[in-house]
Amino acid sequence: AEYNMSQQNLIFVGVHLGNESDTALVSRVVNDLNKQKRGNLILGVGFFPRELQSALDSFVETGNEKDVENLPFLQACLPLLKIARESKIKLLALGITGDSQQRVFSNGLEGLSSREKNEYVSDLNGFVEYESLPGFRLYAEEVIFDNFKNFSETENSFKNIGKRNYFAERILSDEAVASKAVETVKNSSKDTCMIVLQDVDRVRFGFGSSGRSQRIAKSVNIENFGVKTLIVNPTAADSLSGATFLRL
């Protein structure tokens, strides 16, 4: 599964949220890769909002599980967090804040302040032009808007969110994860690698944070920026592959 992962700058790993077997497998990969990188490994989590960074920092310092009791999908993620703590792997919450998310759901990107837009989007022109890439419209229909149907049917607290604002939140959150990940790796030691844990649907087909991160790296003149994606335990709904890992 490691197929040259140690040579990458960013590795986007798609998991089925809340699936303990997925995160258990990721835990082993993180442990092995950290040994190869001799400590130059960071674990970023795309579905942890940034306001919970202090909780992650406290957990790393104290090991007290109460520090992270408000993290989403905690039961599945806790073994991974423990490995990160034991191995002194830096933990990073990459997601947009819950407050930002709510305002985008309510008012679209116009609901954000200039400060928030600058924080989440480091390559504004590229962000705007990304939707015009060949294949993106099909990706939006097959993945983003398909997810919107399930989202609007199952999330009772978000019943009034329209398709347009759901799309806005989706592309913003993917861009924000990519921007933060690239910035962090750029400002770290040369051999640093970051594993970015995300929902499997954000990793499929390369139009999520992984593709965005390659564009952002170019925008800040980073050469030979290695980005790979993996899907853990892909199902028939994810792909036609029966392999434990699907290389995209």
Side-chain angles (χ1 to χ4, degrees):
E2 274 117 344
Y3 64 99
N4 79 337
M5 287 199 294
S6 64
Q7 300 173 27
Q8 306 305 316
N9 298 106
L10 289 175
I11 303 168
F12 290 86
V13 179
V15 296
H16 302 89
L17 296 182
N19 187 303
E20 294 180 34
S21 63
D22 278 13
T23 48
L25 191 54
V26 175
S27 296
R28 297 204 302 269
V29 173
V30 166
N31 204 28
D32 291 343
L33 189 56
N34 189 52
K35 292 175 183 177
Q36 295 179 46
K37 298 299 294 182
R38 298 180 180 179
N40 290 323
L41 184 68
I42 300 171
L43 178 60
V45 184
F47 49 84
F48 285 176
R50 296 182 190 185
E51 68 264 30
L52 297 180
Q53 182 63 51
S54 60
L56 289 177
D57 294 341
S58 296
F59 175 76
V60 168
E61 183 177 342
T62 67
N64 189 340
E65 294 180 18
K66 287 187 177 181
D67 290 336
V68 290
E69 62 185 0
N70 292 322
L71 290 177
F73 311 106
L74 177 60
Q75 185 173 351
C77 292
L78 191 56
L80 186 56
L81 300 183
K82 288 180 177 179
I83 285 177
R85 179 176 186 268
E86 292 164 3
S87 302
K88 296 181 171 56
I89 298 170
K90 182 177 180 180
L91 290 169
L92 204 59
L94 297 172
I96 64 174
T97 67
D99 180 59
S100 294
Q101 182 188 55
Q102 290 296 328
R103 278 185 282 113
V104 174
F105 277 151
S106 298
N107 302 304
L109 297 179
E110 296 79 7
L112 296 178
S113 66
S114 296
R115 180 194 60 78
E116 287 172 303
K117 291 176 183 177
N118 290 333
E119 177 185 351
Y120 296 140
V121 181
S122 60
D123 174 28
L124 181 58
N125 288 337
F127 175 64
V128 172
E129 295 169 0
Y130 198 70
E131 294 175 42
S132 63
L133 287 178
F136 184 87
R137 181 173 295 182
L138 180 62
Y139 163 77
E141 289 294 336
E142 295 294 327
V143 177
I144 297 178
F145 293 132
D146 187 61
N147 284 350
F148 171 71
K149 295 176 186 176
N150 297 328
F151 178 83
S152 58
E153 290 171 0
T154 59
E155 298 289 340
N156 291 327
S157 58
F158 298 124
K159 285 291 186 184
N160 296 324
I161 295 172
K163 189 175 181 180
R164 178 178 175 273
N165 288 349
Y166 178 84
F167 177 77
E169 189 281 335
R170 178 75 177 233
I171 61 172
L172 174 72
S173 56
D174 281 347
E175 185 80 10
V177 167
S179 294
K180 184 71 171 178
V182 172
E183 177 190 18
T184 302
V185 171
K186 180 187 178 186
N187 294 330
S188 301
S189 61
K190 184 178 179 181
D191 295 329
T192 296
C193 171
M194 183 190 293
I195 290 179
V196 179
L197 206 62
Q198 287 191 293
D199 176 13
V200 63
D201 280 336
R202 302 218 176 221
V203 174
R204 288 195 295 162
F205 309 123
F207 284 104
S209 298
S210 59
R212 292 172 183 274
S213 66
Q214 291 174 312
R215 186 202 78 234
I216 292 166
K218 290 179 181 177
S219 76
V220 291
N221 300 315
I222 303 177
E223 297 182 0
N224 303 316
F225 194 76
V227 178
K228 291 292 182 183
T229 57
L230 298 171
I231 290 179
V232 181
N233 294 324
T235 65
D238 300 326
S239 74
L240 298 178
S241 172
T244 303
F245 281 98
L246 173 64
R247 190 187 322 177
L248 300 177

